[in-house]
Each structure stands twice: as structure tokens, then as C-alpha cells.
Amino acid sequence: MFLNKNKTKRFLKKSIAMTVGVIVMLFFIAVPSSCKNSKKDVITAFSDRSSMSKMKSTNVETLVSDSGMVKYKMEAGEWEIFDKSPRPYWSFEKGIHLERFDSLMNVDAYIDADTAYYYEKDKLWELRSNVKIENVKGETFTTDLIFWEQVKEKVYSDVFIKIHKEDQIWTGYGFESDQNLEVYDIRRTSGIMYLDNVDK
């Protein structure tokens, strides 16, 4: 009878151990399947990337070189790249400042804007709100909207623009120029000329 009790106890211990083992195995089998479902839900939630940016950088300062020479400097409060948008673009929602350097690394032209967008496929810049551009002649152009088509090498706008020259101020609605802002045409113009140096 003593032997039978021991056998019974050993049998019970083995049964309990086997039952616990089966429960643990079932637990581990069940957990990964629930994890798979939650991962699938997360991936599905982010499957449409057309309105999501691929990259977001803040307080950006970068130099752009050409043939080993630094030509431009760009500063931006925020830079986002929307590569999966139907019309892929870069976004500068917190202002942009661009400077162009001459061969001696002096700034010979600059662009400021509160907001800017760059459409990659079209190679088109759209500058918005408080846009100020200075060309190599020292003339400044101020407006609230201007476009720069790099392929066609032209700059244009269809809103109010003001141009400050050394001794003149020109205003107009609508504007078109070469990309260096040296040869330009203003529509619906009016001009003010300072006559301090004219002989009487």
C-alpha cells in the first residue's frame, strides 16, 4: 500500500507538471498570434503615406556646393519631405532663408519667405507671405507670392509686387523675370522716381 501511495503521488506530480507545461505552451502560442494582429492593425493604420512626410528636420542650416565650390546656404525653421504625395514636394512651413555666394564667398543675392514649397518633379519653387528677394544689383523685390521655375529659368507672380531700385520704387500687379531677376517685366505698373540729383 505504501508503494501504491508513492506511485499515486508521482503520477499526480507528473500530471500537474504536464498540465502546467501544456498551459504555458498554449499561452506562448496564443500571445504571438495576438501580437501579429496588433502589428497588422498598426501597419494598416499607416499604409496610406500620401499625407505623411518621409523626413522632418527642424532648425536646418545647410550649404550647397557646385563643382567643389559652396554656392548657396539655406536656413529653415522646419523642413519636411512628402515623397508619396500625388505631387511630391518639400515643405518649409516655418520660414526659409536662402543666400547665394560669389567666388569670394560674399553674399550677392538672397531670398526670404515665411513659407515655401518645392515641387520635385516640376523643379518649381513656390514662395509665400512676406517674400523678399535681393538680386546681384542690390534691387529688392517684395511680394506675397512668387514662383521660380528652374527648368524654364524664370520667376513670375500674378499678385502685387514692389521693386526698390537705387533711386526708384516700382509697383505693379503681375511680374515675370529671368531667374537672376535682372531682366523683368511688370504688369499694371506705377513708378516713383526720386529727383534729388536732377539739374534745375
Side-chain angles (χ1 to χ4, degrees), residues 44-99:
T44 303
F46 292 102
S47 62
D48 180 16
R49 277 200 54 239
S50 62
S51 61
M52 291 177 57
S53 62
K54 172 177 83 169
M55 183 208 78
K56 181 176 181 178
S57 299
T58 55
N59 300 320
V60 177
E61 185 174 317
T62 186
L63 298 172
V64 180
S65 60
D66 182 21
S67 304
M69 296 273 298
V70 174
K71 295 286 187 181
Y72 302 95
K73 176 181 169 184
M74 181 184 80
E75 296 173 355
E78 186 176 278
W79 178 14
E80 289 189 85
I81 297 177
F82 294 86
D83 63 322
K84 298 298 183 187
S85 171
R87 189 183 184 194
Y89 67 99
W90 300 354
S91 170
F92 303 89
E93 296 275 349
K94 295 187 176 176
I96 189 169
H97 175 76
L98 296 166
E99 293 177 350

Side-chain angles (χ1 to χ4, degrees), residues 15-190:
S15 297
I16 290 169
M18 192 178 293
T19 305
V20 170
V22 168
I23 290 169
V24 168
M25 281 174 50
L26 287 172
F27 176 74
F28 281 117
I29 290 168
V31 169
S33 66
S34 65
C35 286
K36 280 181 187 171
N37 288 340
S38 64
K39 281 184 184 175
K40 186 176 180 183
D41 292 344
V42 170
I43 291 167
T44 303
F46 292 102
S47 62
D48 180 16
R49 277 200 54 239
S50 62
S51 61
M52 291 177 57
S53 62
K54 172 177 83 169
M55 183 208 78
K56 181 176 181 178
S57 299
T58 55
N59 300 320
V60 177
E61 185 174 317
T62 186
L63 298 172
V64 180
S65 60
D66 182 21
S67 304
M69 296 273 298
V70 174
K71 295 286 187 181
Y72 302 95
K73 176 181 169 184
M74 181 184 80
E75 296 173 355
E78 186 176 278
W79 178 14
E80 289 189 85
I81 297 177
F82 294 86
D83 63 322
K84 298 298 183 187
S85 171
R87 189 183 184 194
Y89 67 99
W90 300 354
S91 170
F92 303 89
E93 296 275 349
K94 295 187 176 176
I96 189 169
H97 175 76
L98 296 166
E99 293 177 350
R100 189 175 80 175
F101 300 109
D102 64 16
S103 58
L104 300 173
M105 289 300 291
N106 297 312
V107 176
D108 66 3
Y110 72 85
I111 298 171
D112 281 318
D114 288 349
T115 307
Y117 302 99
Y118 175 67
Y119 300 97
E120 292 183 85
K121 289 182 180 175
D122 304 324
K123 298 196 181 307
L124 171 70
W125 281 92
E126 179 182 339
L127 306 169
R128 291 186 164 273
S129 184
N130 295 314
V131 181
K132 186 175 182 181
I133 303 172
E134 183 174 305
N135 67 11
V136 293
K137 295 178 181 177
E139 300 170 337
T140 58
F141 301 74
T142 54
T143 184
D144 276 327
L145 175 65
I146 205 160
F147 297 94
W148 171 22
E149 286 190 35
Q150 290 180 297
V151 174
K152 294 182 179 177
E153 298 185 353
K154 75 174 187 175
V155 175
Y156 58 91
S157 177
D158 58 0
V159 300
F160 179 79
I161 190 163
K162 185 185 283 187
I163 301 169
H164 289 256
K165 297 186 173 192
E166 187 179 347
D167 59 350
Q168 300 171 345
I169 296 176
W170 289 89
T171 60
Y173 288 85
F175 167 84
E176 191 170 318
S177 172
D178 67 317
Q179 66 180 1
N180 294 320
L181 296 174
E182 292 179 356
V183 179
Y184 47 83
D185 185 31
I186 310 166
R187 298 183 197 93
R188 292 169 54 197
T189 61
S190 62

Side-chain angles (χ1 to χ4, degrees), residues 1-19:
M1 194 150 175
F2 182 76
L3 289 172
N4 287 341
K5 256 187 178 179
N6 283 342
K7 280 183 182 178
T8 306
K9 280 182 181 177
R10 271 188 260 148
F11 178 75
L12 281 172
K13 282 182 183 177
K14 282 184 181 176
S15 297
I16 290 169
M18 192 178 293
T19 305

